[in-house]
Amino acid sequence: FAPLMSRDAKFMNLMYKNYRNVKSVQELADIAMYSPSGFKKQFNRVFGTSASEWLSDQKAALVFQDLNNSDLHIKELADKHGFSSVSSFTNFCQHKFGIPPGKIRRKPD
């Protein structure tokens, strides 16, 4: 049982160490040296969710943090987080937070 826990902890650490540097689930699978199907099974077992949903949630947390703590313009934040346009960035925020990025930024503490 202990070797399994150790392997899971290593897998989890590898994901947290690399998720900011990848643009796709496939890139994470490649870093972890798993086949796509093996990665999907391992990821779901360790994290209890799909890798794509987890990556999206991690990105949302980083975006939210930047919207609240950065002086960068919305366009600059969209570029920083790898969005192809301000429109796609706005759609992402609308989907994840229920409001557009400009309103997140204006919310009082």
Side-chain angles (χ1 to χ4, degrees):
F1 192 68
L4 183 63
M5 291 296 287
S6 175
R7 187 178 63 170
D8 289 353
K10 286 179 183 178
F11 181 84
M12 188 178 282
N13 287 336
L14 185 65
M15 296 302 102
Y16 278 109
K17 182 179 173 185
N18 289 287
Y19 79 90
R20 291 179 190 215
N21 304 318
V22 301
K23 294 188 189 293
S24 69
V25 171
Q26 183 58 53
E27 287 182 54
L28 271 181
D30 291 344
I31 289 168
M33 294 187 282
Y34 274 81
S35 69
S37 62
F39 181 77
K40 182 178 179 179
K41 288 177 190 172
Q42 177 70 359
F43 198 97
N44 280 326
R45 191 171 63 72
V46 172
F47 285 93
T49 188
S50 72
S52 60
E53 187 63 31
W54 184 84
L55 274 176
S56 180
D57 289 346
Q58 299 310 306
K59 187 176 206 173
L62 295 172
V63 164
F64 192 82
Q65 183 178 14
D66 272 352
L67 283 167
N68 284 293
N69 300 314
S70 170
D71 292 330
L72 294 175
H73 295 318
I74 299 296
K75 166 98 173 81
E76 293 170 311
L77 288 175
D79 291 341
K80 176 183 176 182
H81 291 284
F83 290 91
S84 61
S85 66
V86 171
S87 177
S88 62
F89 181 68
T90 299
N91 289 340
F92 177 83
C93 290
Q94 191 73 43
H95 172 75
K96 286 293 188 180
F97 311 122
I99 56 176
K103 286 192 177 183
I104 294 168
R105 180 161 269 175
R106 288 193 295 261
K107 279 195 158 205
D109 289 335

